[in-house]
């Protein structure tokens, strides 16, 4: 019964905090000057909402994914002496095979072709 009472108290306190945070964080006044971009006190020369290249975004996401994968491969090199060689080889080959499948899939989808 004590556990039930504590969980209900925690739930009520968290709901009150979420409600207060959502009501206090809302902006009530949308001022044109506050929503416009700031350029050292001068009027902006061109639009601040420039079109963004989706190809650049895709290349950046692919880079981040494979950068994290490199961070996962590096510790595998360090534990080669202390682990079972067959298990280590099987795990690392499967991991690298999944990476190669991912890069081949991206290549066939055309995400790596910058010029098209």
């Amino acid at each position: 019964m004590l556990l039930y009472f504590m969980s209900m108290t925690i739930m009520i306190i968290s709901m009150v905090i979420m409600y207060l945070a959502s009501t206090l964080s809302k902006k009530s006044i949308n001022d044109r000057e506050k929503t416009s971009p700031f350029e050292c006190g001068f009027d902006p020369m061109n639009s601040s909402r420039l079109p963004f290249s989706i190809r650049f975004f895709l290349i950046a996401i692919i880079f981040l994914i494979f950068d994290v994968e490199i961070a996962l491969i590096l510790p595998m090199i360090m534990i080669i002496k202390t682990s079972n060689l067959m298990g280590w080889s099987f795990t690392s080959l499967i991991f690298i095979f999944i990476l190669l499948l991912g890069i081949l899939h991206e290549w066939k989808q055309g995400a790596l072709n910058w010029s098209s």
Side-chain angles (χ1 to χ4, degrees):
M1 190 67 173
L2 181 64
L3 184 64
Y4 177 73
F5 178 72
M6 286 176 57
S7 63
M8 289 302 291
T9 305
I10 290 171
M11 188 183 317
I12 289 171
I13 289 172
S14 63
M15 291 175 86
V16 167
I17 289 173
M18 286 191 294
Y19 176 73
L20 285 174
S22 67
T23 56
L24 294 176
S25 68
K26 292 183 180 176
K27 291 183 180 179
S28 60
I29 300 172
N30 285 335
D31 189 15
R32 182 178 166 268
E33 290 297 321
K34 288 185 179 179
T35 58
S36 66
F38 179 72
E39 289 188 12
C40 300
F42 298 107
D43 290 331
M45 298 183 82
N46 50 8
S47 175
S48 65
R49 306 288 185 228
L50 297 175
F52 186 73
S53 173
I54 194 70
R55 292 230 179 251
F56 176 75
F57 180 73
L58 286 175
I59 294 292
I61 293 296
I62 291 170
F63 171 75
L64 284 176
I65 289 171
F66 284 99
D67 192 41
V68 169
E69 303 303 331
I70 293 297
L72 293 173
I73 286 176
L74 285 176
M76 290 175 66
I77 297 168
M78 300 301 288
I79 64 166
I80 190 169
K81 290 182 181 179
T82 60
S83 62
N84 181 7
L85 192 58
M86 283 298 287
W88 181 87
S89 299
F90 182 72
T91 305
S92 60
L93 285 176
I94 293 293
F95 187 72
I96 292 172
F97 180 71
I98 291 171
L99 283 177
L100 287 174
L101 282 178
I103 196 74
L104 287 175
H105 175 72
E106 293 296 328
W107 197 349
K108 290 203 181 221
Q109 291 293 322
L112 300 176
N113 295 337
W114 188 264
S115 61
S116 63

